[in-house]
């Protein structure tokens, strides 16, 4: 972040962590001197307060919060733009269902459609987020012992980023994967493996990566795209189930119906894309969406690296790469196949960049 005010002392170089505990940086991490941004203000002297900064007091030191806690970067905008054709398909489905409901219940046809259009605001509704975390994403709230390990690390990460960590909630995923991710509007999920197996500084790097998804707008834009594309996907799945269950003579009619609906939806999407983008890109939308997802991961890595966690994040990625290679070799040895590389379409449809690519983008932050 570009700031015109002097930057306070880096929390990791403070030998006396807040709240009287040992601090998350006491485990095998040397104090890192803060970058030279001018003279550090005396703790008892109030620094000048520019328009884009506010500050809050914490025991033993002063934490600066940025006025803009969230930003919408290029990847978040790309997700929203690429989700527009799916949104239009779903809008057509919702309008058809609204017309059916209007005829049967006597309601104005625009009421169900308007309710669906504004339902995306539920992404930022805390009770709705809790339901999503518990029943959709299969997360659970941390136990007191787990919270005692997570919360000090989270406080330090958010303090370095200038973010109010109290705005977000930490949840636990019962998984053996090494990961932490952002979802909904205020949820950061941490796998149990990362919580129990990672050193404190490496856990901080993983949490900083998840925070980068929130501050860049990746989490809510992705969830909005999935939510507004849900009606179209639901209708498509229902039609597929009907086609499988009906007897053979009726399948022809079902196939014709499905074909007509898909042609109508495809024509609408193709026309929309031609108007918005200048050429029909319907067939490459999945590849573009995957490319935007990979770019979002790299931006989150850069966010963590900019906070000073590049060495720890690189070690975590190297460990994950090693585990992936071992798992692939084990499967190949068991199956007896000699083909080790993924197909090109599968790699292009992946929403996560491979680990060598992520390590390559971190190289600038790893240089002394």
């Amino acid at each position: 972040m570009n700031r015109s005010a002097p930057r306070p002392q880096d929390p990791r170089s403070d030998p006396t962590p807040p709240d009287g505990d040992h601090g998350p940086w006491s485990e095998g991490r040397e104090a890192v001197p803060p970058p030279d941004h001018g003279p550090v203000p005396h703790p008892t002297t109030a620094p000048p307060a520019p328009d884009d900064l506010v500050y809050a007091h914490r025991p033993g030191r002063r934490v600066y919060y940025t006025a803009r806690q969230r930003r919408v970067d290029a990847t978040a905008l790309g997700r929203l733009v690429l989700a527009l054709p799916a949104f239009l398909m779903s809008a057509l489905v919702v309008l058809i269902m609204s017309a059916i409901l209007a005829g049967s219940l006597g309601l104005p046809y625009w009421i169900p459609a308007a309710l669906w259009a504004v339902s995306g605001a539920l992404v930022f509704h805390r009770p709705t987020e809790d339901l999503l975390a518990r029943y959709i994403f299969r997360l659970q709230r941390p136990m007191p012992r787990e919270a005692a390990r997570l919360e000090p690390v989270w406080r330090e990460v958010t303090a370095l980023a200038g973010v109010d960590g109290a705005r977000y909630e930490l949840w636990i995923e019962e998984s053996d994967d090494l990961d932490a991710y952002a979802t909904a509007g205020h949820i950061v999920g941490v796998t149990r493996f990362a919580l129990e197996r990672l050193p404190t500084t490496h856990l901080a790097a993983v949490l900083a990566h998840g925070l980068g998804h929130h501050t860049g707008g990746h989490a809510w834009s992705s969830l909005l795209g999935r939510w507004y594309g849900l009606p179209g996907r639901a209708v498509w799945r229902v039609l597929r189930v009907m086609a499988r269950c009906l007897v053979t003579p009726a399948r022809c009619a079902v196939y014709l119906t499905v074909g007509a609906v898909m042609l109508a939806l495809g024509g609408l999407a193709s026309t929309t894309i031609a108007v918005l983008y200048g050429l029909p890109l319907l067939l490459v939308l999945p590849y573009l969406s995957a490319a935007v997802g990979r770019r979002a991961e790299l931006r989150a890595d850069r966010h963590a690296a900019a906070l000073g966690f590049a060495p720890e994040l690189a070690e975590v990625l190297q460990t994950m790469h090693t585990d992936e290679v071992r798992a692939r070799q084990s499967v190949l040895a068991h199956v007896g196949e000699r083909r080790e590389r993924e197909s090109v379409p599968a790699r292009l449809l992946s929403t996560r960049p491979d680990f060598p690519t992520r390590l390559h983008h971190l190289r600038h932050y790893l240089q002394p």
Side-chain angles (χ1 to χ4, degrees):
M1 294 176 289
N2 295 326
R3 301 179 180 178
S4 57
R7 182 175 179 176
Q9 186 177 0
D10 192 326
R12 290 171 294 170
S13 62
D14 188 357
T16 306
D19 303 332
D21 57 8
H22 294 288
W25 315 114
S26 59
E27 185 175 335
R29 184 185 183 101
E30 298 179 355
V32 179
D36 186 9
H37 290 280
V40 178
H42 193 274
T44 60
T45 303
D51 296 335
D52 61 339
L53 290 178
V54 294
Y55 62 89
H57 291 283
R58 291 184 59 198
R61 64 178 174 182
R62 182 169 294 166
V63 178
Y64 288 75
Y65 290 157
T66 60
R68 295 182 61 187
Q69 297 280 292
R70 293 174 183 267
R71 300 179 184 273
V72 181
D73 61 19
T75 56
L77 291 175
R79 287 181 187 271
L80 295 176
V81 171
L82 293 176
L84 185 58
F87 169 77
L88 294 176
M89 292 183 187
S90 297
L92 178 61
V93 173
V94 171
L95 288 175
I96 294 174
M97 297 300 298
S98 299
I100 295 175
L101 291 176
S104 59
L105 301 179
L107 296 174
Y109 73 94
W110 56 268
I111 291 181
L115 292 176
W116 172 75
V118 301
S119 63
L122 295 176
V123 172
F124 300 98
H125 185 234
R126 293 302 182 96
T128 305
E129 288 185 359
D130 293 347
L131 294 176
L132 292 174
R134 191 180 303 275
Y135 298 107
I136 302 300
F137 303 112
R138 303 296 182 181
L139 304 176
Q140 63 184 21
R141 292 191 179 275
M143 300 294 287
R145 179 181 61 85
E146 299 165 345
R149 168 150 166 79
L150 280 174
E151 290 176 357
V153 185
W154 182 246
R155 285 199 302 267
E156 297 293 337
V157 170
T158 53
L160 285 172
V163 173
D164 184 5
R167 295 188 175 189
Y168 301 96
E169 296 183 359
L170 299 174
W171 291 67
I172 306 297
E173 180 187 11
E174 293 291 342
S175 173
D176 293 333
D177 295 332
L178 197 166
D179 197 7
Y181 56 91
T183 187
H186 306 88
I187 292 177
V188 177
V190 184
T191 61
R192 183 165 300 281
F193 182 91
L195 174 65
E196 297 180 350
R197 301 295 181 87
L198 286 182
T200 302
T201 51
H202 292 68
L203 178 61
V206 174
L207 289 176
H209 173 90
L211 178 63
H213 283 304
H214 272 303
T215 57
H218 308 157
W220 65 263
S221 61
S222 176
L223 190 58
L224 279 182
R226 293 171 59 185
W227 171 254
Y228 282 119
L230 185 61
R233 292 195 299 268
V235 170
W236 171 243
R237 291 180 180 178
V238 169
L239 292 176
R240 289 181 61 184
V241 171
M242 292 175 58
R244 292 175 181 176
C245 296
L246 293 178
V247 294
T248 304
R251 287 186 179 179
C252 295
V254 173
Y255 289 152
L256 291 176
T257 304
V258 172
V261 172
M262 293 306 299
L263 284 176
L265 295 178
L268 175 63
S270 179
T271 303
T272 303
I273 294 173
V275 172
L276 294 178
Y277 303 104
L279 68 163
L281 299 177
L282 185 61
L283 296 178
V284 299
L285 276 179
Y287 298 96
L288 291 177
S289 300
V292 171
R294 293 193 296 271
R295 179 57 58 180
E297 291 295 326
L298 295 177
R299 284 182 176 268
D301 287 346
R302 188 173 64 182
H303 176 269
L307 296 180
F309 297 109
E312 291 80 7
L313 184 60
E315 292 181 10
V316 171
L317 294 176
Q318 185 63 52
T319 300
M320 297 173 68
H321 177 57
T322 303
D323 294 342
E324 183 184 68
V325 170
R326 290 177 179 175
R328 186 186 302 118
Q329 291 177 350
S330 177
V331 171
L332 291 175
H334 178 73
V335 177
E337 296 181 357
R338 301 184 61 87
R339 184 180 180 183
E340 298 183 2
R341 294 185 178 181
E342 292 181 296
S343 63
V344 174
R347 295 178 63 183
L348 293 177
L349 288 173
S350 176
T351 58
R352 286 178 175 265
D354 54 61
F355 295 112
T357 299
R358 297 175 69 176
L359 290 169
H360 174 74
H361 282 268
L362 288 176
R363 70 189 188 282
H364 297 296
Y365 298 94
L366 299 175
Q367 296 176 355

